[in-house]
Structure formats: C-alpha cells, structure tokens
Amino acid sequence: MASASSSTYRDDRRTELREFLRSRRARVSPADVGMPAGGRRRTPGLRREEVAVLAGVGASWYTWLEQGRDITVSGQVLDAIARVLLLDAAERAHLYRLAGLTPPQAPSAPSVALSPEVRRLLDAWSPRPGYVRDRHWHFTAVNDAARVVFGYRESDHNCLVSFFTNPRYRVRHRDWEETAPEVAAAFRADAARYPDDPEFGRIAGELAAVSPEFAALWARHDVAEHTSAVKAVDHPEAGTMVFDATLLPLPQHPGHHLIMHNPRPGTDTQERLEALMRQHSLVVAHPG
C-alpha cells in the first residue's frame, strides 16, 4: 500500500507534468513546425491533437499524458513529443523525470579546451590539488599542486593508466591495493554509459597488457559508482597528508569532471601542504 507521502509526490509530479506540457505546447506555433495556421485560434500554440499527429501517437493517449494519468510511457514516445514541442536538452530531461523515466545519458563530446572559467577555478583551488578529466579519464588539466602531491609527470595523460603504471603515484598512495578494485570498477561503470564508444575498450585492453593487476581486476567485471573518496598520501618531503576528494561534473563540458582535493579536517594536512607548496614555489623561482 502506497504511503501518503509517495502518493502526494506522484500527484505533484503529475500536476507539474500537466502544466509543463501545456506551457511548452502554448509557445509553439503551427508555423514553427511547418503546419498551416488554420485561421484564428482561441488559445496560443499547438492543439493537443496536432501534437499527437506530429508525434505519431493517439490523440486520446496524448491527452491522458498531458492530464497526468497513470499510463505507460516509453522514451521513444517522449523523444517524439520533445521534438514536436522543440524542447532543449534540459527540458527533454525534465520531461523524462516528470513522466517517471530516467533521462538518457547525454552524448559526450571529445576532449576540448577547457573554458576560461574552469581554468580560473582550477588555478584558484591552489595550493590544493585538482585536475580535470574527460569521459575516458584523460587528463585535460592538472594544477601544480596535483603534480607535486601525487607525483604526476608531464607524461601522465590518463588517470586510470597513471593509477596502475605510475610508480611514484603508487608508492605515495597509502591505500593503493584497497583502492585499486574500486578504480577499475568505476572505469567499467563509466564505460557502460557509452556502449558504442570503443575508446574505453582500447584503453582497458592496452592497460591490461602492461598491468597484470589491472587485468585481473578488469576480468572480475565489477562496477561501482563514486563521487567522493579519501586519499592518504605518504609524500617523501611532506610526510602523510589526507585529502577528501570530490568529483564534480562539468555541464559545460559533457563527460568531463573536476576532481578537487581538500585537506581532511582533524589532520595537519593543510599545514603540510602549504609548506610543501611554498618549498616548491621557491625551487621553481630560484632553481639555482
């Protein structure tokens, strides 16, 4: 038996669906979709019957949908309605949610130059480590603190590959063996979002050929989602530092994520990090 709260939620969602579809329909004129105006209209926009015809669904079914009735809805039909109503990507995703479906994963563009705003954010995050990776886990930007703290080199181009093949990163990562299964599982979960993208398989195949540990983990077919983690680093100069790592999606760069590391409260990581970065700043400024 449904609870009162869940029933209220469904009612609210159906009300929102009704109002959303009506408002989107009202803003689309017949001319916008290549139809004759058909004389004067009492209300602006398309009629329900016109939306149904253009979307290839029954007029009664569309009326029920707009009324928020409990009917079966498919993504294919919602896409057709979204095209007729000229919905943008955000509106299409909203329609899916109101209809009780999970919006499909938006297609991701290949790695592109980061916007100035993202670069400024990454620079402003210093002296704390941060970097940006694309959907294939390729690094698109790494700040100086991440290179100093984690031991990333200029030759490090992919976060997954570096995790399993960069010896400096591995020796500094205190919980490497415990974390490795989660990293491989997270990459497989990301690959599953793009089943038609062969780049994930290429990266995994090439990495498995040089890393027996990754090969064994990849063969397990584990999947995992993670948006945060705790990283403990044993740095040869600064000692032990512990960071809270948070993964943030970048909507303006589909498929890209900003990974930000913050000194964990209750540790002396902040002081160690600041001293380390001051030291490296002086080394850079006075290499002699």
Side-chain angles (χ1 to χ4, degrees), residues 257-278:
H257 288 82
L258 172 64
I259 293 83
M260 309 177 82
H261 301 80
N262 207 28
R264 190 166 181 80
T267 70
D268 59 357
T269 300
Q270 180 71 35
E271 293 77 10
R272 291 176 181 267
L273 177 63
E274 291 176 354
L276 177 66
M277 294 309 298
R278 281 197 302 269

Side-chain angles (χ1 to χ4, degrees), residues 50-71:
E50 292 168 335
V51 174
V53 169
L54 292 170
V57 299
S60 296
W61 185 93
Y62 178 77
T63 298
W64 294 337
L65 175 68
E66 194 170 292
Q67 290 174 343
R69 295 197 189 184
D70 187 11
I71 58 177

Side-chain angles (χ1 to χ4, degrees), residues 11-225:
D11 291 343
D12 290 345
R13 192 181 67 187
R14 289 171 182 171
T15 299
E16 176 66 19
L17 176 62
R18 179 175 66 248
E19 297 303 323
F20 179 69
L21 285 174
R22 285 177 178 174
S23 67
R24 300 308 93 171
R25 179 165 57 84
R27 74 178 185 180
V28 180
S29 70
D32 290 335
V33 292
M35 294 181 63
R40 296 186 60 184
R41 292 175 174 247
R42 290 179 298 176
T43 57
L46 297 175
R47 301 185 178 100
R48 287 175 175 171
E49 296 79 8
E50 292 168 335
V51 174
V53 169
L54 292 170
V57 299
S60 296
W61 185 93
Y62 178 77
T63 298
W64 294 337
L65 175 68
E66 194 170 292
Q67 290 174 343
R69 295 197 189 184
D70 187 11
I71 58 177
T72 301
V73 182
S74 70
Q76 183 178 6
V77 171
L78 291 182
D79 284 344
I81 294 171
R83 285 192 295 271
V84 173
L85 298 181
L86 307 179
L87 303 187
D88 62 22
E91 291 170 328
R92 174 173 170 261
H94 187 58
L95 174 61
Y96 264 77
R97 295 186 183 98
L98 292 178
L101 299 182
T102 300
Q105 178 73 28
S108 290
S111 292
V112 294
L114 293 180
S115 66
E117 293 79 9
V118 174
R119 286 202 170 273
R120 284 196 294 269
L121 176 60
L122 192 59
D123 291 341
W125 193 245
S126 263
R128 291 160 293 183
Y131 56 83
V132 177
R133 73 184 192 202
D134 68 10
R135 68 170 172 176
H136 301 119
W137 291 30
H138 295 315
F139 290 118
T140 58
V142 181
N143 71 8
D144 290 338
R147 297 189 187 280
V148 171
V149 171
F150 302 127
Y152 289 136
R153 303 160 295 190
E154 292 297 332
S155 59
D156 286 302
H157 300 299
N158 183 278
C159 185
L160 178 74
V161 175
S162 293
F163 183 91
F164 283 94
T165 64
N166 182 335
R168 292 199 298 174
Y169 179 86
R170 176 166 179 165
V171 76
R172 294 182 187 186
H173 199 302
R174 170 174 291 187
D175 302 314
W176 190 93
E177 291 185 357
E178 292 78 7
T179 305
E182 301 174 5
V183 172
F187 188 76
R188 185 176 286 281
D190 280 358
R193 300 177 189 275
Y194 310 97
D196 299 325
D197 187 339
E199 180 68 5
F200 290 96
R202 184 196 67 77
I203 294 170
E206 292 183 358
L207 179 56
V210 298
S211 172
E213 290 157 316
F214 174 76
L217 292 171
W218 193 247
R220 286 161 48 172
H221 290 267
D222 293 339
V223 293
E225 300 282 352

